[in-house]
């Protein structure tokens, strides 16, 4: 897996965290860098942790399903991506549910909810024999950066671009799944 592919996966995975960060920023009366950094640490940390857990689980079962790994990657990335596309087009009202709260309980819940898809991607990384330390570090940094930016953007611009960001993330994950499948079928090199 190349750097560009990993970048697209990282950006695609971070779109849920970005959308929630925009919502957090929207709900804040006063946006501070401390709050933005805190959101980035929560979301980036969980986006890095979940693929690592998925990778460890995937390695345990690797020998059993190596012959179908490309199909698993295609299906997992496709399901995640299509779900993100559906939410973006359905006008999910995450922001209406959010508030200014940055307490541990709220942020842990949001972090887990926005990183579940990264767990499935971690399983995919195991099948693709990706360098997991590099991958999770990269995903964590990208998500941290986009989450901090999302809080600030949300505070300034509101939810105008949330659906577009989520749509782009979903499309990226679907396309990556198709690319992996086509490569393993020998259609794409």
């Amino acid at each position: 897996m190349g750097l560009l592919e990993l970048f697209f996966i990282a950006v695609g995975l971070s779109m849920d965290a970005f959308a929630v960060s925009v919502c957090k920023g929207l709900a804040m009366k006063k946006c501070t860098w401390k709050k933005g950094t805190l959101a980035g640490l929560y979301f980036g940390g969980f986006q890095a942790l979940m693929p690592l857990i998925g990778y460890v689980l995937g390695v345990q079962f690797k020998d059993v399903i190596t012959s179908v790994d490309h199909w698993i990657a295609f299906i997992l990335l496709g399901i995640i991506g299509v779900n993100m596309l559906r939410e973006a087009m359905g006008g999910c009202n995450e922001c209406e549910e959010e508030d200014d709260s940055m307490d541990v309980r709220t942020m842990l819940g949001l972090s887990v909810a926005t990183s579940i898809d990264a767990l499935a991607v971690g399983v995919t990384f195991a099948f693709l024999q990706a360098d997991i330390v590099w991958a999770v570090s990269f995903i964590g940094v990208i998500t941290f950066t986009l989450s901090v930016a999302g809080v600030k953007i949300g505070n300034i611009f509101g939810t105008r671009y949330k659906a577009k960001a989520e749509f782009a993330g979903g499309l990226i994950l679907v396309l990556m799944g198709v690319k992996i499948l086509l490569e393993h079928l020998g259609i794409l090199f």
Side-chain angles (χ1 to χ4, degrees), residues 14-25:
S14 67
M15 285 299 107
D16 278 347
F18 175 77
V20 172
S21 295
V22 168
C23 295
K24 289 306 244 178

Side-chain angles (χ1 to χ4, degrees), residues 5 9 16 25 49 54 64 79 81-82 92 96 108 153-154 167-168 173:
E5 294 162 326
I9 288 174
D16 278 347
L49 178 64
V64 177
I79 289 170
V82 167
C92 181
E96 292 176 8
L108 281 176
I153 289 167
F167 183 86
L173 292 179

Side-chain angles (χ1 to χ4, degrees), residues 101-169:
S101 179
M102 298 293 284
D103 64 89
V104 174
R105 186 175 181 176
T106 299
M107 293 306 294
L108 281 176
L110 290 172
S111 298
V112 170
T114 59
S115 63
I116 291 295
D117 50 355
L119 182 75
V121 171
V123 172
T124 302
F125 285 162
F127 300 137
L128 299 176
Q129 299 176 348
D131 180 354
I132 193 62
V133 173
W134 168 246
V136 298
S137 299
F138 197 71
I139 290 168
V141 168
I142 294 292
T143 304
F144 171 85
T145 304
L146 289 175
S147 295
V148 171
V151 169
K152 194 67 174 167
I153 289 167
N155 193 251
I156 295 170
F157 296 108
T159 60
R160 186 177 312 158
Y161 302 108
K162 180 185 103 39
K164 291 178 183 176
E166 196 161 21
F167 183 86

Side-chain angles (χ1 to χ4, degrees), residues 31-59:
C31 179
T32 64
W33 285 108
K34 180 180 177 183
K35 288 181 179 181
T37 301
L38 185 61
L41 288 172
Y42 272 105
F43 294 132
F46 272 84
Q47 285 288 10
L49 178 64
M50 293 299 232
L52 181 60
I53 293 169
Y55 182 86
V56 169
L57 293 173
V59 166

